[in-house]
Amino acid sequence: SQGGRSALLRSLVDQAAQSRDDDVVIPSPRERTTARVEVRLTASDIARLDAAAGERGLKRTEWIVALLRRRLY
């Protein structure tokens, strides 16, 4: 793998941040969310994440969850 999961997540965040799709939806969880994932990002990644989340009126975690669910479901 080239950079592992963190590199993949950064790539997904980059793609989503560049997307102008206004149909971002945060679906209700299908089950209680108890699992946690830790992701280490650079300061510039965090700045871009904050900007992307802010454009949608979301918190960082909400934006990441919406991105992941959109890709997974």
Side-chain angles (χ1 to χ4, degrees), residues 4-70:
R5 287 185 245 178
S6 293
L8 175 61
L9 184 57
R10 278 195 300 277
S11 174
L12 291 173
V13 169
D14 285 344
Q15 290 173 22
Q18 293 172 12
S19 172
R20 295 293 173 211
D21 186 0
D22 290 331
D23 295 332
V24 174
V25 176
I26 302 175
S28 298
R30 293 187 168 109
E31 59 189 64
R32 187 167 181 229
T33 55
T34 57
R36 299 179 68 90
V37 175
E38 181 177 324
V39 179
R40 294 176 187 261
L41 301 172
T42 65
S44 61
D45 290 337
I46 291 293
R48 292 180 74 179
L49 174 58
D50 286 342
E55 287 176 8
R56 305 280 187 201
L58 301 173
K59 297 176 184 174
R60 289 178 187 164
T61 301
E62 293 170 335
W63 190 91
I64 292 169
V65 168
L67 171 69
L68 291 173
R69 287 187 177 149
R70 184 173 179 198

